[in-house]
Amino acid sequence: MKIVKPSVTLLWITPDPEAQIETAGRTCYKSEDKITEHSARDFALKMRKSGHHAMIEHAVASFRIVTDRGITHEIVRHRLASYAQESTRYCNYSADKFGNECSFIEPPGLTNDQKREWEQACLYAEEKYFKMISAGCSPQIARSVLPNCLKTEIVMMANLREWRHFISIRSTKAAHPQIRPIAYEVWVALMEHAPSIFEDIHPEID
């Protein structure tokens, strides 16, 4: 059994997303002649403030998120995105490539007694999973005994308009405590590349 930390990694983003938004947006008005070396930020900001958010969709970003399967059930509810997720149907965690063990994400805020109970439950699930594999079950059947806290990796690609939506609802105090840090890390990364699109969002960090 291995306990791993959640993480967020930016894999790819439209090069100079604000410039891409301006290039697309000025097509509407045939005002490409107004593009200058420094005009992109102001134009993208104008699109955001005016509510002309369709232009924001012309820039996209892709992130690799390491979290537990319970949290990915919430992530994939964002339908205007593309996903690729580690598959428990085909990944056999008893294999050498996985270190012959299952990996889990520890939920936040556990007391010592709660953590002990959680670890015992994970160990028990791992033991039964391996016994089912040894008895001839395929991974897609044996996975039925694995808990929501099983570690998973998911790649999520979305346009910047959808990332705004994701951050806005997943970084509030009402959101799950394990998804809020994910939304925050996405916001931090996107602020570096397209501040005009994300600077009006203020994640609620404890």
Side-chain angles (χ1 to χ4, degrees), residues 125-167:
E126 180 186 57
E127 176 190 352
K128 295 305 179 183
Y129 173 84
F130 289 152
K131 284 187 175 180
M132 291 180 72
I133 293 289
S134 296
C137 285
S138 64
Q140 68 180 349
I141 299 302
R143 73 176 181 178
S144 62
V145 301
L146 295 175
N148 269 346
C149 61
L150 183 73
K151 166 262 177 188
T152 188
E153 297 183 22
I154 188 168
V155 174
M156 177 179 176
M157 183 179 72
N159 63 57
L160 298 195
R161 185 180 192 176
E162 179 60 19
W163 280 120
R164 278 181 57 85
H165 176 63
F166 178 87
I167 296 165

mmCIF file of all heavy atoms in Angstrom, residues 125-167:
data_model
loop_
_atom_site.group_PDB
_atom_site.id
_atom_site.type_symbol
_atom_site.label_atom_id
_atom_site.label_comp_id
_atom_site.label_asym_id
_atom_site.label_seq_id
_atom_site.Cartn_x
_atom_site.Cartn_y
_atom_site.Cartn_z
ATOM 1 N N ALA A 125 -8.809 -3.597 1.696
ATOM 2 C CA ALA A 125 -9.276 -3.567 0.307
ATOM 3 C C ALA A 125 -8.175 -4.040 -0.638
ATOM 4 O O ALA A 125 -8.434 -4.810 -1.578
ATOM 5 C CB ALA A 125 -9.725 -2.156 -0.067
ATOM 6 N N GLU A 126 -6.943 -3.591 -0.397
ATOM 7 C CA GLU A 126 -5.817 -4.017 -1.231
ATOM 8 C C GLU A 126 -5.607 -5.529 -1.139
ATOM 9 O O GLU A 126 -5.408 -6.208 -2.155
ATOM 10 C CB GLU A 126 -4.546 -3.287 -0.792
ATOM 11 C CG GLU A 126 -3.312 -3.656 -1.611
ATOM 12 C CD GLU A 126 -2.059 -3.019 -1.059
ATOM 13 O OE1 GLU A 126 -1.751 -3.245 0.138
ATOM 14 O OE2 GLU A 126 -1.377 -2.302 -1.808
ATOM 15 N N GLU A 127 -5.683 -6.053 0.078
ATOM 16 C CA GLU A 127 -5.502 -7.496 0.281
ATOM 17 C C GLU A 127 -6.547 -8.291 -0.497
ATOM 18 O O GLU A 127 -6.227 -9.265 -1.196
ATOM 19 C CB GLU A 127 -5.595 -7.821 1.775
ATOM 20 C CG GLU A 127 -5.523 -9.307 2.090
ATOM 21 C CD GLU A 127 -5.852 -9.621 3.547
ATOM 22 O OE1 GLU A 127 -5.995 -8.676 4.348
ATOM 23 O OE2 GLU A 127 -5.969 -10.830 3.866
ATOM 24 N N LYS A 128 -7.805 -7.884 -0.397
ATOM 25 C CA LYS A 128 -8.869 -8.615 -1.091
ATOM 26 C C LYS A 128 -8.747 -8.463 -2.614
ATOM 27 O O LYS A 128 -9.039 -9.403 -3.363
ATOM 28 C CB LYS A 128 -10.236 -8.127 -0.608
ATOM 29 C CG LYS A 128 -10.505 -8.433 0.864
ATOM 30 C CD LYS A 128 -10.334 -9.932 1.158
ATOM 31 C CE LYS A 128 -10.570 -10.246 2.615
ATOM 32 N NZ LYS A 128 -10.330 -11.700 2.919
ATOM 33 N N TYR A 129 -8.326 -7.309 -3.070
ATOM 34 C CA TYR A 129 -8.111 -7.093 -4.500
ATOM 35 C C TYR A 129 -7.070 -8.076 -5.023
ATOM 36 O O TYR A 129 -7.275 -8.750 -6.038
ATOM 37 C CB TYR A 129 -7.660 -5.646 -4.735
ATOM 38 C CG TYR A 129 -7.242 -5.336 -6.153
ATOM 39 C CD1 TYR A 129 -8.174 -5.003 -7.128
ATOM 40 C CD2 TYR A 129 -5.895 -5.350 -6.510
ATOM 41 C CE1 TYR A 129 -7.792 -4.699 -8.429
ATOM 42 C CE2 TYR A 129 -5.493 -5.045 -7.811
ATOM 43 C CZ TYR A 129 -6.444 -4.726 -8.759
ATOM 44 O OH TYR A 129 -6.051 -4.429 -10.052
ATOM 45 N N PHE A 130 -5.949 -8.176 -4.325
ATOM 46 C CA PHE A 130 -4.883 -9.088 -4.767
ATOM 47 C C PHE A 130 -5.321 -10.546 -4.705
ATOM 48 O O PHE A 130 -4.952 -11.351 -5.571
ATOM 49 C CB PHE A 130 -3.618 -8.880 -3.924
ATOM 50 C CG PHE A 130 -2.906 -7.584 -4.212
ATOM 51 C CD1 PHE A 130 -2.153 -6.957 -3.230
ATOM 52 C CD2 PHE A 130 -2.989 -6.986 -5.451
ATOM 53 C CE1 PHE A 130 -1.498 -5.769 -3.491
ATOM 54 C CE2 PHE A 130 -2.339 -5.790 -5.726
ATOM 55 C CZ PHE A 130 -1.585 -5.182 -4.734
ATOM 56 N N LYS A 131 -6.112 -10.880 -3.708
ATOM 57 C CA LYS A 131 -6.595 -12.268 -3.603
ATOM 58 C C LYS A 131 -7.547 -12.596 -4.755
ATOM 59 O O LYS A 131 -7.528 -13.714 -5.284
ATOM 60 C CB LYS A 131 -7.275 -12.490 -2.250
ATOM 61 C CG LYS A 131 -6.286 -12.620 -1.085
ATOM 62 C CD LYS A 131 -6.985 -12.997 0.209
ATOM 63 C CE LYS A 131 -5.966 -13.242 1.317
ATOM 64 N NZ LYS A 131 -6.623 -13.623 2.601
ATOM 65 N N MET A 132 -8.360 -11.621 -5.148
ATOM 66 C CA MET A 132 -9.255 -11.843 -6.281
ATOM 67 C C MET A 132 -8.463 -12.002 -7.580
ATOM 68 O O MET A 132 -8.773 -12.859 -8.419
ATOM 69 C CB MET A 132 -10.253 -10.698 -6.396
ATOM 70 C CG MET A 132 -11.270 -10.659 -5.270
ATOM 71 S SD MET A 132 -12.457 -9.302 -5.421
ATOM 72 C CE MET A 132 -13.459 -9.887 -6.805
ATOM 73 N N ILE A 133 -7.408 -11.194 -7.739
ATOM 74 C CA ILE A 133 -6.550 -11.325 -8.918
ATOM 75 C C ILE A 133 -5.895 -12.704 -8.926
ATOM 76 O O ILE A 133 -5.868 -13.401 -9.960
ATOM 77 C CB ILE A 133 -5.469 -10.228 -8.939
ATOM 78 C CG1 ILE A 133 -6.098 -8.838 -9.133
ATOM 79 C CG2 ILE A 133 -4.430 -10.508 -10.024
ATOM 80 C CD1 ILE A 133 -6.661 -8.565 -10.494
ATOM 81 N N SER A 134 -5.381 -13.123 -7.775
ATOM 82 C CA SER A 134 -4.724 -14.437 -7.674
ATOM 83 C C SER A 134 -5.690 -15.579 -7.949
ATOM 84 O O SER A 134 -5.309 -16.642 -8.450
ATOM 85 C CB SER A 134 -4.108 -14.616 -6.272
ATOM 86 O OG SER A 134 -3.084 -13.678 -6.048
ATOM 87 N N ALA A 135 -6.972 -15.344 -7.630
ATOM 88 C CA ALA A 135 -7.994 -16.377 -7.856
ATOM 89 C C ALA A 135 -8.482 -16.398 -9.300
ATOM 90 O O ALA A 135 -9.380 -17.179 -9.643
ATOM 91 C CB ALA A 135 -9.165 -16.157 -6.908
ATOM 92 N N GLY A 136 -7.913 -15.522 -10.135
ATOM 93 C CA GLY A 136 -8.251 -15.544 -11.553
ATOM 94 C C GLY A 136 -9.173 -14.444 -12.026
ATOM 95 O O GLY A 136 -9.558 -14.424 -13.199
ATOM 96 N N CYS A 137 -9.542 -13.528 -11.138
ATOM 97 C CA CYS A 137 -10.398 -12.418 -11.566
ATOM 98 C C CYS A 137 -9.603 -11.438 -12.427
ATOM 99 O O CYS A 137 -8.411 -11.207 -12.198
ATOM 100 C CB CYS A 137 -10.951 -11.667 -10.350
ATOM 101 S SG CYS A 137 -12.272 -12.527 -9.479
ATOM 102 N N SER A 138 -10.257 -10.856 -13.388
ATOM 103 C CA SER A 138 -9.639 -9.795 -14.172
ATOM 104 C C SER A 138 -9.631 -8.510 -13.349
ATOM 105 O O SER A 138 -10.433 -8.353 -12.420
ATOM 106 C CB SER A 138 -10.422 -9.568 -15.458
ATOM 107 O OG SER A 138 -11.734 -9.115 -15.160
ATOM 108 N N PRO A 139 -8.743 -7.579 -13.666
ATOM 109 C CA PRO A 139 -8.734 -6.309 -12.935
ATOM 110 C C PRO A 139 -10.080 -5.597 -12.934
ATOM 111 O O PRO A 139 -10.457 -4.985 -11.933
ATOM 112 C CB PRO A 139 -7.665 -5.491 -13.671
ATOM 113 C CG PRO A 139 -6.721 -6.515 -14.218
ATOM 114 C CD PRO A 139 -7.601 -7.669 -14.615
ATOM 115 N N GLN A 140 -10.826 -5.698 -14.031
ATOM 116 C CA GLN A 140 -12.099 -4.976 -14.094
ATOM 117 C C GLN A 140 -13.145 -5.562 -13.149
ATOM 118 O O GLN A 140 -14.106 -4.877 -12.787
ATOM 119 C CB GLN A 140 -12.627 -4.959 -15.522
ATOM 120 C CG GLN A 140 -13.069 -6.298 -16.065
ATOM 121 C CD GLN A 140 -13.588 -6.196 -17.488
ATOM 122 O OE1 GLN A 140 -13.806 -5.098 -18.001
ATOM 123 N NE2 GLN A 140 -13.787 -7.337 -18.135
ATOM 124 N N ILE A 141 -12.957 -6.819 -12.735
ATOM 125 C CA ILE A 141 -13.847 -7.419 -11.737
ATOM 126 C C ILE A 141 -13.294 -7.198 -10.333
ATOM 127 O O ILE A 141 -14.031 -6.821 -9.410
ATOM 128 C CB ILE A 141 -14.042 -8.921 -12.010
ATOM 129 C CG1 ILE A 141 -14.685 -9.125 -13.377
ATOM 130 C CG2 ILE A 141 -14.886 -9.559 -10.911
ATOM 131 C CD1 ILE A 141 -16.026 -8.443 -13.555
ATOM 132 N N ALA A 142 -12.002 -7.378 -10.173
ATOM 133 C CA ALA A 142 -11.380 -7.219 -8.849
ATOM 134 C C ALA A 142 -11.486 -5.788 -8.344
ATOM 135 O O ALA A 142 -11.532 -5.552 -7.132
ATOM 136 C CB ALA A 142 -9.915 -7.650 -8.909
ATOM 137 N N ARG A 143 -11.560 -4.833 -9.249
ATOM 138 C CA ARG A 143 -11.618 -3.433 -8.830
ATOM 139 C C ARG A 143 -12.850 -3.104 -8.001
ATOM 140 O O ARG A 143 -12.902 -2.063 -7.337
ATOM 141 C CB ARG A 143 -11.597 -2.516 -10.051
ATOM 142 C CG ARG A 143 -12.905 -2.516 -10.845
ATOM 143 C CD ARG A 143 -12.861 -1.515 -11.983
ATOM 144 N NE ARG A 143 -14.132 -1.493 -12.722
ATOM 145 C CZ ARG A 143 -14.381 -0.677 -13.732
ATOM 146 N NH1 ARG A 143 -13.461 0.174 -14.138
ATOM 147 N NH2 ARG A 143 -15.558 -0.716 -14.353
ATOM 148 N N SER A 144 -13.844 -3.971 -8.017
ATOM 149 C CA SER A 144 -15.093 -3.694 -7.304
ATOM 150 C C SER A 144 -14.898 -3.568 -5.797
ATOM 151 O O SER A 144 -15.763 -3.019 -5.107
ATOM 152 C CB SER A 144 -16.132 -4.782 -7.600
ATOM 153 O OG SER A 144 -15.680 -6.051 -7.158
ATOM 154 N N VAL A 145 -13.786 -4.061 -5.277
ATOM 155 C CA VAL A 145 -13.549 -3.961 -3.834
ATOM 156 C C VAL A 145 -12.704 -2.741 -3.473
ATOM 157 O O VAL A 145 -12.463 -2.475 -2.296
ATOM 158 C CB VAL A 145 -12.862 -5.237 -3.281
ATOM 159 C CG1 VAL A 145 -13.725 -6.456 -3.544
ATOM 160 C CG2 VAL A 145 -11.467 -5.415 -3.869
ATOM 161 N N LEU A 146 -12.242 -1.994 -4.473
ATOM 162 C CA LEU A 146 -11.372 -0.852 -4.196
ATOM 163 C C LEU A 146 -12.200 0.382 -3.842
ATOM 164 O O LEU A 146 -13.256 0.618 -4.403
ATOM 165 C CB LEU A 146 -10.487 -0.559 -5.411
ATOM 166 C CG LEU A 146 -9.479 -1.672 -5.748
ATOM 167 C CD1 LEU A 146 -8.737 -1.340 -7.041
ATOM 168 C CD2 LEU A 146 -8.495 -1.879 -4.596
ATOM 169 N N PRO A 147 -11.699 1.209 -2.907
ATOM 170 C CA PRO A 147 -12.487 2.358 -2.413
ATOM 171 C C PRO A 147 -12.329 3.606 -3.283
ATOM 172 O O PRO A 147 -11.468 3.676 -4.168
ATOM 173 C CB PRO A 147 -11.880 2.595 -1.027
ATOM 174 C CG PRO A 147 -10.443 2.176 -1.185
ATOM 175 C CD PRO A 147 -10.469 0.997 -2.127
ATOM 176 N N ASN A 148 -13.156 4.599 -2.993
ATOM 177 C CA ASN A 148 -13.101 5.878 -3.704
ATOM 178 C C ASN A 148 -11.750 6.567 -3.560
ATOM 179 O O ASN A 148 -11.378 7.377 -4.417
ATOM 180 C CB ASN A 148 -14.183 6.826 -3.187
ATOM 181 C CG ASN A 148 -15.477 6.710 -3.970
ATOM 182 O OD1 ASN A 148 -15.518 6.136 -5.043
ATOM 183 N ND2 ASN A 148 -16.537 7.278 -3.418
ATOM 184 N N CYS A 149 -11.032 6.302 -2.483
ATOM 185 C CA CYS A 149 -9.762 6.993 -2.241
ATOM 186 C C CYS A 149 -8.608 6.392 -3.036
ATOM 187 O O CYS A 149 -7.458 6.805 -2.862
ATOM 188 C CB CYS A 149 -9.427 7.027 -0.758
ATOM 189 S SG CYS A 149 -9.245 5.391 -0.006
ATOM 190 N N LEU A 150 -8.894 5.418 -3.911
ATOM 191 C CA LEU A 150 -7.854 4.891 -4.782
ATOM 192 C C LEU A 150 -7.285 6.021 -5.623
ATOM 193 O O LEU A 150 -8.017 6.802 -6.227
ATOM 194 C CB LEU A 150 -8.431 3.811 -5.693
ATOM 195 C CG LEU A 150 -7.430 3.117 -6.623
ATOM 196 C CD1 LEU A 150 -6.539 2.177 -5.834
ATOM 197 C CD2 LEU A 150 -8.171 2.367 -7.733
ATOM 198 N N LYS A 151 -5.967 6.098 -5.670
ATOM 199 C CA LYS A 151 -5.320 7.138 -6.481
ATOM 200 C C LYS A 151 -5.595 6.906 -7.958
ATOM 201 O O LYS A 151 -5.616 5.771 -8.438
ATOM 202 C CB LYS A 151 -3.812 7.128 -6.219
ATOM 203 C CG LYS A 151 -2.971 7.909 -7.232
ATOM 204 C CD LYS A 151 -2.386 6.976 -8.283
ATOM 205 C CE LYS A 151 -1.610 7.729 -9.348
ATOM 206 N NZ LYS A 151 -1.199 6.833 -10.470
ATOM 207 N N THR A 152 -5.828 8.008 -8.663
ATOM 208 C CA THR A 152 -5.997 7.933 -10.106
ATOM 209 C C THR A 152 -5.363 9.160 -10.741
ATOM 210 O O THR A 152 -5.130 10.177 -10.069
ATOM 211 C CB THR A 152 -7.479 7.827 -10.499
ATOM 212 O OG1 THR A 152 -7.586 7.575 -11.909
ATOM 213 C CG2 THR A 152 -8.234 9.107 -10.177
ATOM 214 N N GLU A 153 -5.064 9.061 -12.013
ATOM 215 C CA GLU A 153 -4.572 10.201 -12.781
ATOM 216 C C GLU A 153 -5.550 10.472 -13.906
ATOM 217 O O GLU A 153 -6.018 9.538 -14.564
ATOM 218 C CB GLU A 153 -3.179 9.916 -13.353
ATOM 219 C CG GLU A 153 -2.126 9.701 -12.284
ATOM 220 C CD GLU A 153 -0.735 9.485 -12.865
ATOM 221 O OE1 GLU A 153 -0.492 9.899 -14.020
ATOM 222 O OE2 GLU A 153 0.093 8.899 -12.165
ATOM 223 N N ILE A 154 -5.860 11.731 -14.109
ATOM 224 C CA ILE A 154 -6.778 12.112 -15.169
ATOM 225 C C ILE A 154 -6.205 13.327 -15.888
ATOM 226 O O ILE A 154 -5.687 14.248 -15.253
ATOM 227 C CB ILE A 154 -8.186 12.402 -14.612
ATOM 228 C CG1 ILE A 154 -9.184 12.615 -15.750
ATOM 229 C CG2 ILE A 154 -8.184 13.555 -13.630
ATOM 230 C CD1 ILE A 154 -10.641 12.610 -15.298
ATOM 231 N N VAL A 155 -6.246 13.283 -17.205
ATOM 232 C CA VAL A 155 -5.867 14.437 -18.019
ATOM 233 C C VAL A 155 -7.144 15.110 -18.473
ATOM 234 O O VAL A 155 -8.015 14.463 -19.062
ATOM 235 C CB VAL A 155 -5.006 14.011 -19.225
ATOM 236 C CG1 VAL A 155 -4.739 15.212 -20.141
ATOM 237 C CG2 VAL A 155 -3.691 13.397 -18.753
ATOM 238 N N MET A 156 -7.258 16.377 -18.158
ATOM 239 C CA MET A 156 -8.448 17.149 -18.516
ATOM 240 C C MET A 156 -8.039 18.295 -19.435
ATOM 241 O O MET A 156 -7.159 19.095 -19.094
ATOM 242 C CB MET A 156 -9.119 17.701 -17.261
ATOM 243 C CG MET A 156 -10.325 18.588 -17.531
ATOM 244 S SD MET A 156 -11.067 19.179 -15.971
ATOM 245 C CE MET A 156 -12.341 20.278 -16.583
ATOM 246 N N MET A 157 -8.659 18.357 -20.601
ATOM 247 C CA MET A 157 -8.423 19.453 -21.529
ATOM 248 C C MET A 157 -9.718 20.217 -21.735
ATOM 249 O O MET A 157 -10.768 19.614 -21.969
ATOM 250 C CB MET A 157 -7.914 18.942 -22.877
ATOM 251 C CG MET A 157 -7.581 20.071 -23.857
ATOM 252 S SD MET A 157 -6.940 19.482 -25.443
ATOM 253 C CE MET A 157 -8.445 18.796 -26.155
ATOM 254 N N ALA A 158 -9.640 21.540 -21.628
ATOM 255 C CA ALA A 158 -10.832 22.364 -21.800
ATOM 256 C C ALA A 158 -10.422 23.736 -22.313
ATOM 257 O O ALA A 158 -9.265 24.149 -22.169
ATOM 258 C CB ALA A 158 -11.585 22.503 -20.476
ATOM 259 N N ASN A 159 -11.376 24.437 -22.906
ATOM 260 C CA ASN A 159 -11.077 25.802 -23.308
ATOM 261 C C ASN A 159 -11.113 26.696 -22.070
ATOM 262 O O ASN A 159 -11.597 26.305 -21.001
ATOM 263 C CB ASN A 159 -12.028 26.282 -24.414
ATOM 264 C CG ASN A 159 -13.474 26.339 -23.966
ATOM 265 O OD1 ASN A 159 -13.817 27.008 -22.992
ATOM 266 N ND2 ASN A 159 -14.344 25.615 -24.670
ATOM 267 N N LEU A 160 -10.599 27.898 -22.208
ATOM 268 C CA LEU A 160 -10.450 28.760 -21.045
ATOM 269 C C LEU A 160 -11.786 29.203 -20.464
ATOM 270 O O LEU A 160 -11.883 29.480 -19.267
ATOM 271 C CB LEU A 160 -9.602 29.983 -21.397
ATOM 272 C CG LEU A 160 -8.161 29.696 -21.848
ATOM 273 C CD1 LEU A 160 -7.324 30.969 -21.812
ATOM 274 C CD2 LEU A 160 -7.496 28.592 -21.037
ATOM 275 N N ARG A 161 -12.808 29.232 -21.284
ATOM 276 C CA ARG A 161 -14.137 29.558 -20.757
ATOM 277 C C ARG A 161 -14.599 28.484 -19.781
ATOM 278 O O ARG A 161 -15.131 28.790 -18.708
ATOM 279 C CB ARG A 161 -15.134 29.685 -21.900
ATOM 280 C CG ARG A 161 -16.519 30.143 -21.463
ATOM 281 C CD ARG A 161 -17.448 30.256 -22.657
ATOM 282 N NE ARG A 161 -18.679 30.947 -22.350
ATOM 283 C CZ ARG A 161 -19.622 31.243 -23.236
ATOM 284 N NH1 ARG A 161 -19.453 30.898 -24.512
ATOM 285 N NH2 ARG A 161 -20.713 31.873 -22.884
ATOM 286 N N GLU A 162 -14.389 27.226 -20.130
ATOM 287 C CA GLU A 162 -14.783 26.136 -19.235
ATOM 288 C C GLU A 162 -13.888 26.078 -18.003
ATOM 289 O O GLU A 162 -14.354 25.765 -16.907
ATOM 290 C CB GLU A 162 -14.756 24.799 -19.981
ATOM 291 C CG GLU A 162 -15.139 23.597 -19.122
ATOM 292 C CD GLU A 162 -16.549 23.686 -18.536
ATOM 293 O OE1 GLU A 162 -17.379 24.479 -19.047
ATOM 294 O OE2 GLU A 162 -16.821 22.967 -17.562
ATOM 295 N N TRP A 163 -12.593 26.399 -18.171
ATOM 296 C CA TRP A 163 -11.721 26.443 -16.998
ATOM 297 C C TRP A 163 -12.174 27.540 -16.030
ATOM 298 O O TRP A 163 -12.082 27.380 -14.807
ATOM 299 C CB TRP A 163 -10.264 26.648 -17.402
ATOM 300 C CG TRP A 163 -9.583 25.395 -17.874
ATOM 301 C CD1 TRP A 163 -9.021 25.169 -19.100
ATOM 302 C CD2 TRP A 163 -9.381 24.187 -17.126
ATOM 303 N NE1 TRP A 163 -8.496 23.893 -19.168
ATOM 304 C CE2 TRP A 163 -8.696 23.272 -17.970
ATOM 305 C CE3 TRP A 163 -9.716 23.772 -15.835
ATOM 306 C CZ2 TRP A 163 -8.344 21.982 -17.560
ATOM 307 C CZ3 TRP A 163 -9.367 22.490 -15.416
ATOM 308 C CH2 TRP A 163 -8.687 21.615 -16.276
ATOM 309 N N ARG A 164 -12.672 28.651 -16.555
ATOM 310 C CA ARG A 164 -13.236 29.684 -15.683
ATOM 311 C C ARG A 164 -14.393 29.120 -14.866
ATOM 312 O O ARG A 164 -14.487 29.343 -13.655
ATOM 313 C CB ARG A 164 -13.747 30.877 -16.501
ATOM 314 C CG ARG A 164 -12.699 31.888 -16.915
ATOM 315 C CD ARG A 164 -13.326 33.041 -17.695
ATOM 316 N NE ARG A 164 -14.387 33.704 -16.937
ATOM 317 C CZ ARG A 164 -14.186 34.682 -16.043
ATOM 318 N NH1 ARG A 164 -12.967 35.099 -15.797
ATOM 319 N NH2 ARG A 164 -15.212 35.222 -15.407
ATOM 320 N N HIS A 165 -15.257 28.371 -15.536
ATOM 321 C CA HIS A 165 -16.402 27.769 -14.848
ATOM 322 C C HIS A 165 -15.929 26.771 -13.790
ATOM 323 O O HIS A 165 -16.421 26.772 -12.652
ATOM 324 C CB HIS A 165 -17.297 27.080 -15.874
ATOM 325 C CG HIS A 165 -18.451 26.334 -15.274
ATOM 326 N ND1 HIS A 165 -19.458 26.953 -14.563
ATOM 327 C CD2 HIS A 165 -18.745 25.008 -15.257
ATOM 328 C CE1 HIS A 165 -20.323 26.059 -14.152
ATOM 329 N NE2 HIS A 165 -19.919 24.873 -14.547
ATOM 330 N N PHE A 166 -14.971 25.932 -14.170
ATOM 331 C CA PHE A 166 -14.441 24.923 -13.242
ATOM 332 C C PHE A 166 -13.883 25.591 -11.984
ATOM 333 O O PHE A 166 -14.213 25.209 -10.851
ATOM 334 C CB PHE A 166 -13.351 24.113 -13.940
ATOM 335 C CG PHE A 166 -12.706 23.068 -13.070
ATOM 336 C CD1 PHE A 166 -13.254 21.803 -12.963
ATOM 337 C CD2 PHE A 166 -11.540 23.352 -12.359
ATOM 338 C CE1 PHE A 166 -12.658 20.832 -12.159
ATOM 339 C CE2 PHE A 166 -10.940 22.389 -11.560
ATOM 340 C CZ PHE A 166 -11.506 21.126 -11.461
ATOM 341 N N ILE A 167 -13.035 26.585 -12.176
ATOM 342 C CA ILE A 167 -12.410 27.250 -11.034
ATOM 343 C C ILE A 167 -13.465 27.968 -10.188
ATOM 344 O O ILE A 167 -13.422 27.914 -8.954
ATOM 345 C CB ILE A 167 -11.340 28.251 -11.512
ATOM 346 C CG1 ILE A 167 -10.196 27.512 -12.219
ATOM 347 C CG2 ILE A 167 -10.798 29.063 -10.344
ATOM 348 C CD1 ILE A 167 -9.290 28.422 -13.026
#
